[in-house]
Amino acid sequence: DRFEYFLEFPKGSLLLRFTDTDMFKAKAVLGDKFPIMGSVPSTLLQIASPSEVDEYCRKLIMVCGKGGGYILRTDTDYIQDAKPENVKAMVDSVKKYRP
C-alpha cells in the first residue's frame, strides 16, 4: 500500500528490495520505473520440495521478470537452514525461466 511513494523518485534512481510483499503488485506499480528484487521466502527453501521451489520461482520470473528489471533473491541473507536441493532449484529456475 506504499508503493506509490516510490514513484516520486526519478526513474532508475532506486533498486528496490522487497521481503514479505506482493511482488506481483510491486512489479505492476513500479516495474517500468525501477528494478525490483525479492522475494523467495527462506522458509520455502527450508521446508518445501524442490519442485515447489521451482514453481514459485517460475511464477516470479515469468511475471516480475517480464520486460526486465527483476532480480530473484531470497528474503534474507541467511539461508544456512535451507535444503541444498532447494537452493539448487532456485538457482536452476533462473537458468530455465529467465526471459
Side-chain angles (χ1 to χ4, degrees), residues 13-50:
S13 64
L14 301 174
L15 169 62
L16 300 170
R17 176 182 170 195
F18 294 107
T19 61
D20 300 324
T21 195
D22 181 342
M23 292 303 296
F24 306 108
K25 183 176 179 185
K27 177 65 175 185
V29 175
L30 303 167
D32 291 336
K33 192 164 182 181
F34 305 108
I36 59 173
M37 76 169 112
S39 178
V40 178
S42 56
T43 53
L44 185 74
L45 298 176
Q46 293 169 6
I47 63 173
S49 69

